[in-house]
Each structure stands twice: as C-alpha cells, then as structure tokens.
Amino acid sequence: MKIRRRDFLKGIASGGVLAVIGKPDLALATERQYQPGALGILYDATLCVGCQSCMVACKKANNMPMERTRAPGVWDDPVDLSSSTLNIIKKYQHGEGQVKDSVDGYSFVKRHCMHCVEPSCVSACPVSALTKDKENGIVGYNKERCIGCRYCQIACPFNIPKFQWDDPTPEIVKCQLCSHLVEKGGISACCEACPTGASLFGPVESLINEAKRRQQMVPGKYYDFPISDLSGRTSPEFKSRMAAKYVPEIYGEYEVGGTQVLHMAGVPFNKLGFPDLPHESYASISDGIQYAIYKGMVYPIVVLGGLIYMVNKREGGDKEE
Amino acid sequence: MSEAKPIGGKVWSLPVLFFLAVVVLALFFLAQRFFYGLGAVTNMNDGYPWGIWIAYDVVIGTAFACGGYCMALLVYIFNKGEYHPLVRPALMASMFGYTLAGVSVIFDIGRYWQAYNIMIPAYMNFKSVLLEVALCIGTYVLVLWIEFAPTFLEKLKADRLAAKLNKVIFVFIALGVLLPTMHQSSLGTMMLAAGYKLSPFWWTSFLPLLFLLSALIMGYAVVIFESTVAALAFNRPLETRILGKLSEVMVWILGFVLVVRFQDLNARDLLPMVFGGGFKANMLVLENLCLLAAMMTLIYPANRKNPKLLFLSAIAIMLGGGLYRMNTYLVGFDPGNGFTYFPSVPEMVITFAIISVEIVAYVWFVKRLPVLHEIKQA
C-alpha cells in the first residue's frame, strides 16, 4: 500500500495529541491538489443579474419539485436550499441597496454544493454513499447505499446536503454538478442556462486562471467574458462587459483545502453568507486521529492481545482459588 | 458457580405498568414516524440533523451503559476481585443500554431497511468515524449478550454449555474492554467533523480523550447509582463499603478530567470567555461544576462511607458527564443560517419509552434471573 507523506505526517501529529498534553493544533501546511480532470463552476456575482434562469434549468434538469413557500400562485419560490432545491440565487442588501456589488448596496449570491477537494461529507459517510469521482472530482450520491444517518449534514461546512424529512423513504439531496449531463459530454444545467456568464462551467484550473484574469481587470473598463463554458464541450461564446471591482479573494481557492466551485464578488464573502474557513479540511483532522489509532488495526489488535492475556491470567487465578 | 441469586417477587407492580403505558404511547408515535417520515414526529431539520435520539439515546445512553466496561476494567485488568459482586448487575445494565441504543438508531436513521449496508465490506468507508462507532457498538452488543449468557445458562441449568462458554469467555471479556475504549473515544472524534459549527468550548482535538474519560466516570457513577437504587427498591443492604472504595478510584479520574478540560481551554485562551457569561459558557461551567462538586465530596474518606453523599455524588457525575455530551452534540452545536432545535413531545416520549423498557427489563431480570449478589444471612 502506498503511504502518502502527508497522511503519515497527519498520523504522527494527531497521535502526538493523544499522547501529550500540548498545543492541540493540527493545522499542517497543505497544498491544494485539484485532480487533473477536476470540473467545477466559477460564479461571478458581479456578472449575475438575478434572473434565476439557473434555478429553473436546475429544477428541470434534475427533475426537482417546485416549492411554494411565500406567495400562493408563484410557481417556484424557495427561500433557501432544501430537499427540493439544489441551487439558489439569493440577494445581499444593505440599507436602501442602490449600488450593485458594493458593501453598502447589494449583491447576488449563488449557493449549491462546492464539490470540495477533500469533502467532509465523503469522509463522514460510513457506507460510501457519497463519493468523489476519481476523474472529474464531482461529489455524487448513491441512494442504494445511503442508510440515512445524516452525518454528512453534520460534517458539511456549507450546510449543503439536505434530507427529505417528510418522506418515509427519504434520501439525501444535493447538487451533483449535473453529473448525468456531464457524463454525456454536456455541462451543468445552471451554467448552460446562464445568459451573462455569471455561472461558468469548466476545468477547475481554467476557472482559476479566468478568475485571476478578472482580478487583474481595471474596474470600469470593458473586457470579454466567456459565457457558460470553458471546457470546450460547447462552442465558445464571449460577451463584452464592464469589469466590476472585486474583493481580492476567490472564495473556494483555499477554503477547507480548496473547492471545485469558486466564487467571485464585489462584497466580502462573510457578508454573503459564506463561513470563514481554515485552509485545512475538518475531515482531515478527524481522519488524522482515526488514522493514527486505527491504521491497519495494529494498535487495537495489540491491545486486544494484552487484554486477553490479562483476563485469562485473572480468570485462571480464580479457578485455583 | 456464581453467588448471585434471583430475588423473586411480583413483576407486574404499578410503576412497571406505568412504564409500559409510556411504551404504548411511544409505539403510536413510532408508527407515525415510519408511515410519514421523521419530520412528522421530530423537530430535527437540515441544520440540526441529529436530535435527542442520537444525543441522548446513543451518546449519553451508551455512556450510562459503561458500568459493565468499568467493572470489567477494574476486576479483570486491574485485578480487583473484591468488586466482583458488582459485575453482573453492571453488565446487565450495559447490555440493556447498548441494545436499546442500537434499537433507537434504527428509529433515527432514514433508510433503516438498508442498515445492513454498514456490514458490506465493499461499501465500508474506513475514513468514516461513524463506521467505526457503528461496527464497534454492534459488535459490543453481541459481546455483552455473550458475557451475560452464563446468567441465562444458570437459570436454564444448562451446565455443560455453561462450562464450554466458561472456557472461552475470557476472549469476550477482553473484547468487552477493548470495544468501549474504541467507540467511546470515537463518539468524541465524531464531532470533530462539525468544525466551526461546534463551539470552541467543545470543539477540541481532545474530544476523543475527553469522551473516553467521561464514559469512565459515568460508568462508575451508574454502578453506584444502580446499586443504591436496587438496595432501596428491593430492601437489600446497601453496598456502601465496596462503593466507597470504588469512588476512591473516581476521585483521581475526575481530577484528571478537570485538569485536561481546563488546561485545553486555557491553552486555547478561552478561559476569559468561559467565565464571561452567556448561555453556552454557563452550560460549560455547570457541566464542570457538577464534576467538581462530586470530586470535592468524594475526596474526603468520611464522605465515601456515607451512602447519601455517595449517591448524590454519583448523580452529580451522571449529570456533569451527561451535560458534557449533550453540550457537545446539541447545545454547543450551531449550524448558522438561523436553524434552531428543541425536541418535540413525541421525540421525548420515544426517548422516555426507551428508558422505560430498560427499567422494566431490569426489574424482570433481577427478579427472575441470578443477577444480584446473594445476601449472606449472619
């Protein structure tokens, strides 16, 4: 079995924690490692006009029911992600909310599964119902395996997996990056439907390059923005638009070890409802501890041997009494 | 041959009938749960996917069921044979506690008909802390029934089978010490995955150690609690001398727990926040005050000879340990996004029903099976 150096260090670090009362700090430097074929989405809030075409397309492509939460007569009106809504456009607003993409104004924000590089849900799932695709890194769900324990919901730092609470045969529901379309050479429905290029599908490395290019742009000047797709799966299309002023981070580039869905915005991400996250995935911390104790079951077997010896000695002593 | 004997007497007393009524009500709510889904009877939601069925029935319930583990540890590993009379009743309470925790998991998981997937090697995710907990608890339930089997065999007078089992039982006793050590610590490791959603008061890499220690103190406390209640309920002499000795062990563990807990909070500069007020901080203080009160009481040898103080200390430890676990799984957990959780009445009734089943089974078992130590007539 191949032992990765990083795993080994993690194991040592967490083993030490159990043995020594010291500074419980497991944050080890890790470099984000996207799989070569990793696919993702770049969502640029400054390009989003809030038309919600992506939500309609998502429901259609994934066969999800409409949700009526507020006004009767409205077709689909979800307030947040739920077991019927895999993708949602929400709005941040401050005061009157006059200026788009400014802290004192307003901004749109899109929420769905981030397709983490080291997904906590995949780590947590006891029966491998949640898996990370070896090729494209999409985090998928298999209901035939799921036992409905909901540990994925505890573990996800973005509160993405949803559970069908009112169904006697419930499933976990989350965005799977339209893997059924991607499989057939297509792209995710939300990006296909997006008219402005706010949701852009593509290989993660290209998306990061595109995001970095946008951050170099001079606000107020006009540039070409790609629409829908950077993967070459569909014919390329560009639109000229005025560049906005971005906050200097790309959300998802480093958070919890990196995510395949990346966000850009003109408003700080914590205002948009994104948690401030460490660069190390939480999953890797508990993995490290489990790894240190249970790797190859060596410690448990040694301890069991010792216990059997001691109990047997004691029981034998009993009989002689 | 053991020196335990059934205590006899009527099983169907008034309290027993009351507990059975709770169970019937719970069955009604359970039918709803299975026909209409978890949302129909519980207040769990996508922010709080785990409610009291996990936090109480499994996480606290199995710690209360650690009496058998603690006594086995003392008697067989530290070779303290004088505690032997406490082993059988403790083992029995453990058997009920763990079995019912297993049953309540079936109520809780959404796709219970696929629960066996956890045992299919091709599906097993060895990175999952929950897999380890589930397999360990599942195996431990079996081990507990095997460890307790001699009691049934004595009743059935199956002496040859009993003799055969007696030859291999040391393997199961050893497993009975190993498995709780593994999964009780892992119950703590499990909440590391919650990350920032769990308040830093409880989110620490010491979670596995603290959960193991809390299982130990709660296990010992339950042995004292159960022995005292059994003595009062069935008019038996109090086992104060032996329980007093047991509580001496506990003073040391309690001290260690408190040192680890506060050293960790201090290392992470959280102490000013701990004493700065607020609901979560106060819950943390309360949890540790219970343990501190028990330790300060039991530290004096005279108090350890006082059955009332012993009993009260045991209750304080059960409360403190229970709160610690409840805080880690629910009170300290905040997923954000405005989610809230407080258990619904049906949820609580089902939990009470599980406790009721344990009590009724305990009464029936000690009256009909050789569980409690025979009283020597002087």
Side-chain angles (χ1 to χ4, degrees):
Chain A
M1 183 172 280
K2 209 176 109 196
I3 296 173
R4 284 194 302 157
R5 201 178 91 92
R6 204 155 63 92
D7 278 352
F8 178 67
L9 289 175
K10 272 195 277 183
I12 297 234
S14 40
V17 163
L18 290 172
V20 186
I21 297 177
K23 199 159 175 263
D25 190 356
L26 291 170
L28 291 161
T30 49
E31 73 285 19
R32 141 183 74 76
Q33 292 172 319
Y34 288 110
Q35 294 161 226
L39 293 170
I41 292 175
L42 172 63
Y43 172 75
D44 186 333
T46 69
L47 296 180
C48 181
V49 292
C51 71
Q52 305 187 347
S53 309
C54 56
M55 291 170 63
V56 178
C58 174
K59 290 234 159 166
K60 261 192 188 165
N62 292 289
N63 216 359
M64 301 300 286
M66 300 293 166
E67 249 186 290
R68 292 179 189 90
T69 53
R70 287 169 294 198
V74 177
W75 275 12
D76 188 33
D77 187 22
V79 285
D80 210 333
L81 295 179
S82 73
S83 59
S84 316
T85 300
L86 305 176
N87 161 35
I88 194 165
I89 297 290
K90 298 207 278 187
K91 190 181 170 195
Y92 157 84
Q93 187 172 323
H94 181 85
E96 290 283 295
Q98 297 291 322
V99 187
K100 192 172 182 293
D101 302 313
S102 101
V103 190
D104 303 321
Y106 72 99
S107 169
F108 294 109
V109 57
K110 185 179 181 225
R111 297 308 300 266
H112 50 67
C113 177
M114 301 287 284
H115 297 277
C116 301
V117 172
E118 288 183 66
S120 279
C121 60
V122 171
S123 243
C125 181
V127 289
S128 316
L130 287 158
T131 46
K132 189 165 178 68
D133 190 280
K134 286 191 174 63
E135 297 281 311
N136 55 32
I138 293 176
V139 177
Y141 170 71
N142 178 354
K143 69 173 181 184
E144 301 307 324
R145 289 187 171 191
C146 175
I147 59 169
C149 71
R150 311 186 293 283
Y151 190 27
C152 52
Q153 294 191 289
I154 296 273
C156 176
F158 303 104
N159 288 325
I160 296 300
K162 302 295 175 190
F163 184 75
Q164 294 174 325
W165 293 98
D166 296 313
D167 192 321
T169 59
E171 292 169 25
I172 288 289
V173 182
K174 69 178 267 304
C175 153
Q176 301 182 59
L177 214 78
C178 288
S179 54
H180 59 299
L181 302 177
V182 169
E183 219 169 69
K184 293 182 208 134
I187 67 171
S188 63
C190 58
C191 297
E192 174 109 62
C194 182
T196 66
S199 285
L200 185 64
F201 181 89
V204 178
E205 294 297 346
S206 321
L207 295 178
I208 288 182
N209 290 340
E210 171 64 15
K212 298 221 155 125
R213 180 182 79 96
R214 290 182 192 179
Q215 288 197 315
Q216 303 302 315
M217 293 173 178
V218 181
K221 282 184 111 183
Y222 278 78
Y223 297 89
D224 278 347
F225 289 87
I227 307 298
S228 291
D229 181 25
L230 274 185
S231 70
R233 286 165 177 247
T234 58
S235 50
E237 197 191 325
F238 291 87
K239 272 186 191 164
S240 180
R241 276 192 56 137
M242 195 168 76
K245 190 169 176 357
Y246 293 101
V247 292
E249 312 113 81
I250 304 165
Y251 191 91
E253 193 183 5
Y254 296 109
E255 277 72 15
V256 287
T259 61
Q260 291 178 205
V261 171
L262 304 155
H263 288 259
M264 303 184 76
V267 171
F269 292 105
N270 54 9
K271 300 261 185 225
L272 298 178
F274 287 98
D276 286 321
L277 293 171
H279 291 179
E280 178 89 348
S281 94
Y282 293 116
S284 67
I285 296 171
S286 57
D287 281 359
I289 289 183
Q290 287 297 92
Y291 180 91
I293 308 174
Y294 296 112
K295 186 65 187 172
M297 291 299 283
V298 174
Y299 290 141
I301 289 169
V302 169
V303 172
L304 181 64
L307 289 172
I308 288 180
Y309 172 75
M310 288 163 95
V311 175
N312 199 19
K313 205 171 100 185
R314 146 91 205 163
E315 282 281 89
D318 250 10
K319 277 163 206 157
E320 282 157 31
E321 274 167 22
Chain B
M1 203 64 206
S2 86
E3 294 141 22
K5 266 196 139 176
I7 61 170
K10 208 170 66 149
V11 171
W12 304 108
S13 60
L14 207 59
V16 165
L17 292 176
F18 166 78
F19 289 128
L20 286 179
V22 176
V23 174
V24 171
L25 185 59
L27 287 176
F28 168 73
F29 291 132
L30 276 176
Q32 281 189 319
R33 176 256 172 272
F34 283 108
F35 279 113
Y36 303 112
L38 281 159
V41 290
T42 75
N43 280 345
M44 289 188 275
N45 52 58
D46 286 322
Y48 287 89
W50 287 349
I52 52 166
W53 291 355
I54 295 296
Y56 182 82
D57 301 2
V58 177
V59 177
I60 298 176
T62 59
F64 283 159
C66 273
Y69 165 54
C70 292
M71 296 323 297
L73 201 63
L74 263 189
V75 171
Y76 298 107
I77 307 307
F78 294 110
N79 213 4
K80 303 278 185 198
E82 74 249 49
Y83 296 111
H84 215 284
L86 298 176
V87 170
R88 239 180 215 191
L91 208 56
M92 188 181 73
S94 298
M95 182 176 82
F96 292 142
Y98 267 97
T99 307
L100 286 162
V103 170
S104 70
V105 166
I106 295 298
F107 302 157
D108 185 82
I109 61 174
R111 301 172 71 79
Y112 51 90
W113 65 93
Q114 293 186 162
Y116 64 87
N117 280 356
I118 212 127
M119 289 179 288
I120 297 179
Y123 295 176
M124 288 180 185
N125 171 17
F126 292 103
K127 278 188 158 188
S128 170
V129 188
L130 186 59
L131 177 79
E132 193 253 340
V133 170
L135 290 179
C136 249
I137 290 186
T139 318
Y140 187 49
V141 171
L142 279 179
V143 166
L144 279 166
W145 282 85
I146 294 169
E147 277 188 276
F148 193 71
T151 311
F152 294 115
L153 297 176
E154 253 173 56
K155 171 83 177 172
L156 298 169
K157 304 217 173 348
D159 292 343
R160 278 182 58 193
L161 196 57
K164 264 186 199 161
L165 179 60
N166 205 25
K167 275 190 190 140
V168 291
I169 203 151
F170 66 93
V171 177
F172 294 99
I173 294 171
L175 273 172
V177 175
L178 175 73
L179 292 172
T181 312
M182 285 166 69
H183 66 243
Q184 283 299 335
S185 60
S186 293
L187 281 173
T189 317
M190 206 137 85
M191 285 311 275
L192 278 177
Y196 73 93
K197 295 191 216 170
L198 180 57
S199 151
F201 289 158
W202 293 279
W203 193 89
T204 152
S205 40
F206 284 97
L207 267 170
L209 179 63
L210 285 167
F211 262 65
L212 181 62
L213 291 172
S214 71
L216 282 173
I217 54 172
M218 289 163 82
Y220 286 129
V222 164
V223 170
I224 293 175
F225 175 83
E226 180 252 33
S227 160
T228 312
V229 171
L232 294 176
F234 305 129
N235 275 321
R236 294 162 52 85
L238 289 160
E239 297 169 292
T240 309
R241 193 193 60 82
I242 196 167
L243 297 181
K245 283 194 84 174
L246 184 61
S247 53
E248 200 181 333
V249 182
M250 225 146 62
V251 175
W252 290 98
I253 312 180
L254 281 170
F256 186 56
V257 171
L258 289 168
V259 167
V260 172
R261 190 85 168 92
F262 281 91
Q263 135 70 26
D264 170 50
L265 289 168
N266 185 35
R268 293 182 294 130
D269 298 323
L270 288 171
L271 283 183
M273 273 171 78
V274 168
F275 298 109
F279 179 61
K280 282 177 189 168
N282 290 341
M283 287 299 277
L284 182 141
V285 170
L286 183 65
E287 148 204 323
N288 289 291
L289 270 183
C290 288
L291 301 184
L292 187 68
M295 189 186 85
M296 293 315 289
T297 308
L298 295 175
I299 211 163
Y300 299 104
N303 291 349
R304 295 201 291 265
K305 289 175 187 137
N306 180 334
K308 250 184 214 160
L309 288 177
L310 268 181
F311 186 63
L312 287 176
S313 310
I315 290 180
I317 294 168
M318 288 164 71
L319 262 176
L323 270 175
Y324 170 64
R325 286 175 173 233
M326 186 60 84
N327 289 344
T328 307
Y329 271 77
L330 283 177
V331 177
F333 184 80
D334 181 5
N337 262 9
F339 285 110
T340 57
Y341 169 79
F342 192 85
S344 70
V345 172
E347 240 175 312
M348 289 193 261
V349 169
I350 289 168
T351 289
F352 287 139
I354 283 172
I355 301 169
S356 301
V357 170
E358 284 178 58
I359 295 172
V360 171
Y362 182 93
V363 171
W364 191 85
F365 270 55
V366 294
K367 289 191 171 175
R368 293 288 174 267
L369 294 174
V371 176
L372 295 181
H373 206 59
E374 193 182 359
I375 304 163
K376 297 234 166 62
Q377 303 292 343

